[in-house]
Amino acid sequence: MYPRTSIVLAIALIACNETEKDTSTSTEEITATDGTSWAKTYVDQLEQSVQVNPELKELNKLEEAYLSIAQQVLSPWKTALSSKDEAALAKIFSQKGLQWNAMGKTLKHQKDGIIVNDVNVESGADQSAAYVQSFQSIENVELMVRHIELPTDNTAIIELRYDVRGINSNGFRQNDRGELSVSLSNQNKNWTVSSLEVIFFERAENTRAPAFVDATAELGLDKLPIEDRKEAIRRGGYALAVSDFNNDGLSDMLVGNYGPVQLLRNTGNGFEDVTAAAGIQDEGVVKSAAFADLDNDGDRDIAILRFVVGSKDGRGDFIAYENNGDGSFTRKTDVLPRRRSYDRAMPLTMGDFDNNGFLDIYIGFPGIRDFTSGISNRARPDWLASQGIWFNKGSWKFDEASEGDTVVAANNVYAHAAVATDLNNDGKIDLLVVDDSGRINPVYKNLGNGRFAEASEEMQLTKGGLSMGLTTGDFDNDGDQDIMSTHITLTAGERLASSSEGLLKDDSKMGKVMKSLREDYTALQLFRNDGNGNFTEITKESGLSWAGDAAAAGEWIDYNSDGLLDYYLPNGLWSNGLSEFDSLFFRAEVAAYGDAILGNIPENPDVADPMPNDVNGRAIFEANGGPNPVLTVLRNHRTGAELSYSMGGNQSNRLFRNNGDGTFTEVGYLENADRIEDGYIVAPVDINNDGIQDLVMRNTDPAPENSYPSVIALRNTLSSNAVNLSLQGTESNRDGIGAMVTAKIGNQTIMREVRSVNGAVQTEAGAYIGLGEATQIDRLEIRWPSGKTTVHTNVAAGKITLNEE
């Protein structure tokens, strides 16, 4: 577990979030005095600093070997597989390969037209030619080295994740994946394969068409503006909110951008831009947004967060639009009173924290810095708040939480996302905050009347990391809320941390750093609610190891309507060229700031410290006071230029299907959901009213010259058999946010919570309950936020609305 005051600088490798449009954030080419590219000079300086550092000597040796092996063996191997080049494969495995024709299969799972087999593949005479010919086509190959050893100067052993996706001889999708141990020898600086050994292997294949088809163009979402990323690698993402704002039964959409926000009306055949017609102004840098009935008048208003210094930007950081009930909105300013100063609003969530029937508002204020700026060991000034809660009193009147409030008083939180949820099922809405600085994600337990107590230790939720998202849901259908948490991890970091074991002294600074990373370097964390107020991490045993690099904010979805929560995960940081920046930056950052990882930076540095006590400053790596150089390097070395870098790039999104036995199977490719754009957030929603959940994604903005849609829609083509429930409160808030829905279907019990916005993303407020093979919900119980309970019986499949009365 990371120390509470630590920052795991090395594992995220993310540039600073200089996002405010009216500040100095130019990322144009910086030219040194000698006329050479500043970015190239910076890369050379990083390389030199890594090579001369004595603590990195052994790690550099490993990485140099890895880079040579990647160039001489792995790249040709991937190319040969992708092109089904038998001659090239025979050349690579001239000595020893795998006996694919003699494979043995043991059925692991068979469900919904997908078969998963454990596969036994022995080493021996290479049969790669027969293997590639078993595919009609191979669409994607990943060979990810997670560990490397150098027994001698001329030998190496690597452990890699093998992932091949293609169309098999039956015309269906097939995903072969596993872990291989590869022994190599080096003669005259030329690496060749000596032998392969299978550590484990599985084959997942379809017997039907994929569930999802790309409906982006069909819905007109490919017409949305696309701007290249001018900001942070991850915080260069913007809001996505989905809701029916005009009460016509169709889910509409609000999309945040670096430029003006867009309100999109669902016409039934696609989306049309009604921003100006609805009275929405040119609100820019909208990081979070939500549709919510803030005045309980029966229609959904709009709340918008802008990533600016509220006291300096004349338009403000919180904008509300009151729904006029006729498809138009009226802009409202100065809605939230301020006693304290706040710096750049980013995550938003809502819930009736004090149970008075109105939705309250939580906002996180992370400031312009991120963890490349040493934020984990800096205390904020007392006058600059990191979090705020505003209690809704009705009639557009809000009260700012008092100075003694537990959440407001926690002034060292760097909030990236937040979710209002009832963790312990006591009818009071708790608050989970995602901190991306390396600290733990704080858990605020609602004691009643909007009073909170920090309860992370009490609930055994004390693991930290560079967190991106949190979501809650009852994945095992045992009647309580479980938690899925995402964090930035990269294969380069995993490889360096794993491979350093035994090479570095445990009591050395670098040894301690690497040990720290080995113990808690996880992209996904699943915490099972034990039902007694405690949580237990069950990530490994749940089969969530195929998460990919640079996890963003995922969400639960029941895409096959079987009553079990599946999980969709967007991935990827910065996709541009084929050259990887990950390893170099990782080593440079670990060497330079290992003390920060271990929490040893002084709390009160002087002005000369490279990480001053100031959340408004720039990143650690500065070019004479200019923009963050890491982002500048990535932006300016584009495809076709002298250098072209990716960092956590070209990563496929993941879809984890719930097997119903406490485990998941990754089926993203099989279901045509493994997008490779740099993902950010996802909203599961029935976009076309056919009764089954689709996927809508807001990607981060792309690197220059690497264009892709800002919003992508994947339409679900499976048959629907579900109840899609929305609520109308009377004593409770109008949207029924915070209601707990329990459905009894035969011997199965399904619990769903009605939630509002989660950080930067909002889906329709309601409950989607898959019926599986059943024809109805036998007994449907709704516990409303007011405490009232209503019961309905024999509820048939379809889209329904239930009133609290």
Side-chain angles (χ1 to χ4, degrees):
M1 181 176 67
Y2 302 128
R4 282 177 176 266
T5 57
S6 72
I7 172 168
V8 191
L9 294 171
I11 61 178
L13 317 184
I14 300 179
C16 80
N17 51 314
E18 296 172 24
T19 53
E20 187 178 356
K21 294 176 71 175
D22 59 357
T23 60
S24 177
T25 60
S26 172
T27 49
E28 298 302 316
E29 184 90 21
I30 300 175
T31 305
T33 55
D34 61 0
T36 62
S37 162
W38 175 87
K40 175 65 166 60
T41 302
Y42 173 67
V43 174
D44 290 343
Q45 290 172 347
L46 275 184
E47 185 69 52
Q48 183 179 10
S49 70
V50 164
Q51 293 302 325
V52 301
N53 190 309
E55 289 193 278
L56 288 176
K57 181 179 178 180
E58 296 299 327
L59 292 182
N60 289 337
K61 185 177 179 181
L62 291 175
E63 282 301 277
E64 287 165 8
Y66 159 73
L67 292 172
S68 294
I69 292 168
Q71 180 182 14
Q72 297 172 15
V73 178
L74 301 182
S75 181
W77 188 359
K78 289 178 64 174
T79 300
L81 283 172
S82 299
S83 59
K84 298 174 58 178
D85 188 334
E86 299 175 26
L89 286 168
K91 185 177 180 181
I92 295 170
F93 303 116
S94 58
Q95 298 183 48
K96 197 172 186 180
L98 297 176
Q99 294 184 298
W100 294 101
N101 286 341
M103 69 168 60
K105 296 181 181 178
T106 303
L107 182 63
K108 191 175 181 179
H109 292 291
Q110 184 169 1
K111 181 181 177 181
D112 298 331
I114 294 176
I115 301 172
V116 183
N117 284 299
D118 282 326
V119 177
N120 178 30
V121 185
E122 300 293 339
S123 301
D126 184 56
Q127 297 174 344
S128 293
Y131 174 68
V132 296
Q133 288 309 315
S134 69
F135 288 89
Q136 291 186 23
S137 63
I138 293 178
E139 299 187 359
N140 188 63
V141 177
E142 294 180 4
L143 303 173
M144 300 160 283
V145 177
R146 305 171 62 218
H147 184 84
I148 181 169
E149 299 176 13
L150 301 176
T152 70
D153 289 340
N154 295 316
T155 60
I157 301 172
I158 61 174
E159 291 182 7
L160 60 82
R161 277 190 172 159
Y162 177 95
D163 191 322
V164 173
R165 308 173 191 194
I167 307 300
N168 62 23
S169 59
N170 297 319
F172 293 108
R173 294 189 174 211
Q174 177 175 307
N175 189 181
D176 287 358
R177 58 198 175 206
E179 288 194 8
L180 306 181
S181 176
V182 185
S183 297
L184 304 106
S185 60
N186 184 6
Q187 295 181 351
N188 300 319
K189 298 183 179 180
N190 184 36
W191 288 99
T192 58
V193 175
S194 302
S195 64
L196 284 80
E197 179 185 350
V198 176
I199 300 172
F200 83 90
F201 208 91
E202 71 176 17
R203 169 170 290 178
E205 51 191 322
N206 263 347
T207 60
R208 57 165 171 78
F212 293 98
V213 297
D214 188 341
T216 308
E218 169 190 328
L219 296 172
L221 297 174
D222 59 333
K223 304 296 194 300
L224 297 181
I226 303 169
E227 295 190 58
D228 63 57
R229 206 177 324 179
K230 301 172 178 63
E231 325 175 84
I233 292 176
R234 176 63 82 206
R235 286 191 182 163
Y238 297 93
L240 173 67
V242 180
S243 187
D244 180 9
F245 79 83
N246 55 1
N247 289 333
D248 65 353
L250 297 170
S251 295
D252 310 300
M253 196 181 308
L254 185 139
V255 180
N257 297 289
Y258 185 80
V261 70
Q262 293 166 291
L263 179 64
L264 308 176
R265 185 176 72 86
N266 190 337
T267 66
N269 297 310
F271 289 89
E272 65 172 352
D273 191 330
V274 295
T275 313
I280 307 298
Q281 298 185 20
D282 291 347
E283 315 289 2
V285 278
V286 174
K287 291 290 187 179
S288 302
F291 294 96
D293 192 349
L294 292 172
D295 51 5
N296 282 355
D297 66 350
D299 47 38
R300 292 186 174 96
D301 312 298
I302 296 176
I304 286 175
L305 297 190
R306 300 182 61 239
F307 202 66
V308 298
V309 181
S311 59
K312 295 182 180 180
D313 185 284
R315 300 181 65 84
D317 58 5
F318 177 86
I319 311 296
Y321 280 90
E322 183 177 4
N323 194 325
N324 298 322
D326 58 1
S328 69
F329 293 83
T330 299
R331 192 174 193 268
K332 302 178 76 70
T333 57
D334 299 324
V335 172
L336 304 183
R338 311 286 180 96
R339 287 189 307 273
R340 307 173 75 187
S341 294
Y342 298 92
D343 182 15
R344 293 171 178 82
M346 183 169 172
L348 171 70
T349 195
M350 296 183 185
D352 187 2
F353 298 126
D354 57 2
N355 285 98
N356 71 340
F358 291 93
L359 286 177
D360 307 311
I361 295 172
Y362 165 90
I363 303 175
F365 298 88
I368 198 169
R369 286 180 171 229
D370 71 2
F371 26 78
T372 65
S373 308
I375 58 177
S376 75
N377 289 281
R378 307 277 71 77
R380 289 173 182 257
D382 290 338
W383 51 268
L384 189 59
S386 66
Q387 302 180 98
I389 293 179
W390 284 266
F391 294 100
N392 190 342
K393 300 304 178 183
S395 302
W396 292 98
K397 302 296 183 183
F398 289 82
D399 286 347
E400 187 178 13
S402 65
E403 297 295 324
D405 179 272
T406 300
V407 179
V408 173
N411 210 31
N412 248 15
V413 175
Y414 291 83
H416 188 85
V419 58
T421 181
D422 185 357
L423 269 186
N424 52 3
N425 205 17
D426 65 353
K428 297 186 283 289
I429 301 300
D430 310 303
L431 179 64
L432 287 174
V433 178
V434 176
D435 189 321
D436 66 352
S437 71
R439 294 180 176 86
I440 63 169
N441 296 316
V443 179
Y444 299 109
K445 180 180 177 180
N446 193 332
L447 303 177
N449 297 322
R451 296 177 297 111
F452 293 92
E454 212 289 325
S456 55
E457 289 191 6
E458 173 189 333
M459 295 185 179
Q460 299 179 8
L461 293 167
T462 56
K463 296 202 173 184
L466 298 169
S467 303
M468 291 291 110
L470 281 169
T471 186
T472 58
D474 186 9
F475 89 93
D476 51 4
N477 284 351
D478 66 349
D480 47 37
Q481 298 270 66
D482 310 297
I483 300 172
M484 189 78 86
S485 174
T486 60
H487 313 273
I488 293 286
T489 60
L490 297 173
T491 299
E494 184 178 6
R495 180 176 61 250
L496 285 161
S498 170
S499 304
S500 65
E501 188 171 12
L503 293 179
L504 304 171
K505 294 181 179 179
D506 289 342
D507 58 352
S508 69
K509 182 180 78 172
M510 194 61 63
K512 291 177 181 178
V513 169
M514 290 303 174
K515 184 175 184 294
S516 167
L517 298 181
R518 281 194 298 272
E519 290 177 350
D520 258 336
Y521 195 53
T522 308
L524 278 177
Q525 289 180 315
L526 176 59
F527 296 94
R528 184 190 63 218
N529 192 327
D530 295 332
N532 57 2
N534 297 331
F535 289 80
T536 300
E537 185 183 354
I538 56 169
T539 310
K540 291 182 180 179
E541 53 265 50
S542 298
L544 295 168
S545 58
W546 291 93
D549 282 11
E555 188 54 89
W556 299 110
I557 175 176
D558 184 1
Y559 84 95
N560 52 5
S561 302
D562 65 352
L564 297 168
L565 289 177
D566 314 299
Y567 183 77
Y568 190 79
L569 177 66
N571 277 329
L573 283 178
W574 182 275
S575 299
N576 195 18
L578 297 177
S579 299
E580 294 182 2
F581 197 49
D582 307 31
S583 176
L584 175 59
F585 187 32
F586 190 104
R587 284 175 286 160
E589 188 121 313
V590 167
Y593 300 100
D595 276 335
I597 296 172
L598 299 172
N600 295 332
I601 301 281
E603 288 291 342
N604 296 300
D606 58 34
V607 293
D609 188 279
M611 295 181 285
N613 184 6
D614 169 24
V615 296
N616 293 297
R618 299 183 182 276
I620 311 167
F621 298 115
E622 276 192 79
N624 301 320
N628 181 286
V630 175
L631 183 57
T632 304
V633 167
L634 296 174
R635 278 185 51 83
N636 287 291
H637 288 283
R638 306 175 186 179
T639 303
E642 180 184 2
L643 294 172
S644 186
Y645 287 113
S646 286
M647 194 154 76
N650 306 299
Q651 293 294 308
S652 300
N653 294 348
R654 303 303 205 245
L655 174 60
F656 291 95
R657 187 199 65 189
N658 192 331
N659 297 320
D661 59 1
T663 68
F664 294 83
T665 297
E666 204 286 299
V667 296
Y669 172 68
L670 301 183
E671 300 292 28
N672 193 33
D674 61 335
R675 306 295 300 204
I676 62 168
E677 299 87 358
D678 295 338
Y680 185 54
I681 49 180
V682 59
V685 59
D686 182 4
I687 211 72
N688 55 352
N689 268 8
D690 64 351
I692 195 163
Q693 288 184 302
D694 310 300
L695 288 168
V696 181
M697 285 164 275
R698 176 60 167 100
N699 296 316
T700 55
D701 290 340
E705 301 182 10
N706 183 34
S707 184
Y708 50 72
S710 57
V711 176
I712 287 174
L714 299 181
R715 180 165 51 82
N716 195 337
T717 64
L718 296 180
S719 298
S720 167
N721 187 27
V723 173
N724 199 343
L725 174 67
S726 60
L727 302 180
Q728 287 186 357
T730 51
E731 295 179 30
S732 304
N733 65 85
R734 182 75 178 193
D735 293 328
I737 301 299
M740 202 66 76
V741 179
T742 303
K744 185 75 173 178
I745 305 170
N747 294 325
Q748 185 182 40
T749 300
I750 297 173
M751 188 187 77
R752 298 288 182 262
E753 182 183 41
V754 179
R755 286 203 328 237
S756 180
V757 57
N758 181 350
V761 63
Q762 180 194 31
T763 189
E764 282 282 8
Y768 185 87
I769 303 169
L771 297 178
E773 300 298 323
T775 58
Q776 65 179 17
I777 296 176
D778 301 323
R779 185 180 189 274
L780 180 68
E781 178 179 303
I782 303 170
R783 190 192 69 200
W784 296 82
S786 66
K788 180 184 290 186
T789 297
T790 58
V791 176
H792 308 263
T793 57
N794 303 326
V795 180
K799 189 172 183 178
I800 62 172
T801 300
L802 295 177
N803 190 285
E804 187 171 5
E805 296 177 350

